Amino acid sequence: MDASQGRAELVRYDHKSQQFVPFLSGISAGELDFSRDSKWVTYASYPDLALWRSREDGSARSQLTYPPVSAGLPRWSPDGTQIAYVDTQQEAWKIFLIPAQGGTPQEVLSEGLLQSDPTWSPDGKKLAFGRTADAAKSIAIYIINLATHQVTTIPGSENLFSPRWSPDGQYLAALTRDSTKLLLFNFKTQKWSDWVNEPGVFGFLNWSRDGSYVYYDTTFSDHPTFRRIKVGQTHSEILADLRGLLRYSRPPAFGWSGIAPDGSDLVVRDLSTDEIYALDLELP
């Protein structure tokens, strides 16, 4: 019989050598998010999908979740006290908050709809997230006030997902359902605008620390690349060529990519193995 053992290697693109080099000692993990002061990092380990946090150099490592939780897409709160993540153990994914120092996870919104991709408002008082709206699995982007638990829909966000709040709070970046277009929502005007409509399939949006750029990749395109687009411009620039790199592509973050505090590309190399076992049955 066949057996597959999931194994990954976290790597960073080194622009000087133009090579991918191990990051955090090449741990089998991904979906990294750094605290605002860049001193801490949270991530999901592979293949067990446990949530961890550590210092940015990998020290002071601590496991935050345990089975049956299957954690993914973690995000630090702006004040560094909490981490929002998605538990994917059920068909209807749920967003939870957990203290950064460890503790009991708290469900953000109790309901039977799928929730994903939480992103914090800069003041830490709200979360924007993707959510199925009904049994037909139509999607939209919502905001929940964490103090009142009031949920509102972002106007015009039907069939959009993967929200990312800008550091200054002015904008929300998001993707169309087919991941072929990047849009920008202006909270002041309450309107969406088409931002990037270049050939390819976009994934894993990340704002730069100063809010000047959005980084993303085109993993599921004929020419996979890691790119960034400057606010106010409509043409992106290539930062790294991802051709020839075997990506770790398992749920919930298929082919994840991200950015380190210095803006360099982080990806996960697939080192999974397939093994064949033969069993002999001995009957009495």
Side-chain angles (χ1 to χ4, degrees):
M1 65 179 181
D2 294 336
S4 178
Q5 182 173 353
R7 171 72 184 170
E9 180 188 34
L10 180 63
V11 294
R12 177 183 68 85
Y13 185 74
D14 181 79
H15 287 273
K16 186 176 181 179
S17 66
Q18 296 187 345
Q19 299 289 328
F20 285 95
V21 297
F23 189 74
L24 291 180
S25 301
I27 58 173
S28 185
E31 303 164 56
L32 279 69
D33 190 53
F34 292 84
S35 60
R36 181 173 284 183
D37 60 10
S38 300
K39 293 181 179 180
W40 294 90
V41 61
T42 183
Y43 54 86
S45 56
Y46 297 150
D48 57 322
L49 296 180
L51 184 67
W52 293 78
R53 65 119 175 99
S54 73
R55 291 282 188 182
E56 49 80 27
D57 62 359
S59 63
R61 190 165 172 258
S62 178
Q63 186 172 347
L64 301 178
T65 65
Y66 298 85
V69 173
S70 294
L73 305 172
R75 292 281 168 176
W76 281 97
S77 64
D79 65 3
T81 64
Q82 298 184 92
I83 297 170
Y85 70 91
V86 178
D87 186 355
T88 65
Q89 64 174 306
Q90 304 293 335
E91 182 177 353
W93 298 359
K94 298 292 182 186
I95 297 172
F96 285 81
L97 297 180
I98 191 169
Q101 299 303 315
T104 303
Q106 300 294 323
E107 192 176 41
V108 168
L109 184 61
S110 181
E111 60 178 13
L113 302 177
L114 183 147
Q115 308 158 7
S116 188
D117 267 334
T119 180
W120 292 88
S121 62
D123 61 9
K125 296 180 179 180
K126 300 175 182 177
L127 283 174
F129 62 100
R131 180 196 195 198
T132 57
D134 48 41
K137 297 188 183 303
S138 59
I139 61 173
I141 299 173
Y142 299 80
I143 293 177
I144 182 169
N145 184 308
L146 296 174
T148 65
H149 288 88
Q150 180 182 5
V151 179
T152 56
T153 309
I154 293 185
S157 67
E158 294 79 12
N159 290 315
L160 300 181
F161 80 112
S162 192
R164 296 291 184 269
W165 220 311
S166 65
D168 61 8
Q170 293 186 54
Y171 303 108
L172 194 77
L175 297 172
T176 52
R177 188 167 191 160
D178 61 3
S179 299
T180 61
K181 187 184 294 186
L182 171 59
L183 292 90
L184 197 65
F185 181 76
N186 187 315
F187 280 99
K188 185 176 181 179
T189 64
Q190 293 287 292
K191 294 184 181 298
W192 290 93
S193 59
D194 291 350
W195 189 4
V196 183
N197 193 19
E198 298 173 342
V201 179
F202 307 144
F204 301 106
L205 309 178
N206 283 283
W207 285 92
S208 62
R209 291 302 175 101
D210 63 4
S212 298
Y213 293 89
V214 165
Y215 293 73
Y216 61 92
D217 74 26
T218 59
T219 297
F220 300 104
S221 304
D222 293 336
H223 182 186
T225 56
F226 187 71
R227 314 175 78 93
R228 72 177 182 179
I229 178 75
K230 188 176 178 65
V231 175
Q233 297 182 359
T234 57
H235 295 287
S236 63
E237 60 178 310
I238 297 178
L239 299 178
D241 192 320
L242 302 179
R243 286 180 297 186
L245 182 71
L246 183 60
R247 307 281 293 279
Y248 188 87
S249 295
R250 304 192 182 200
F254 295 90
W256 175 85
S257 70
I259 55 173
D262 65 358
S264 57
D265 179 19
L266 297 176
V267 294
V268 183
R269 195 196 315 263
D270 194 347
L271 300 180
S272 301
T273 58
D274 291 311
E275 299 178 345
I276 298 177
Y277 295 90
L279 301 179
D280 292 326
L281 177 61
E282 294 185 2
L283 299 175

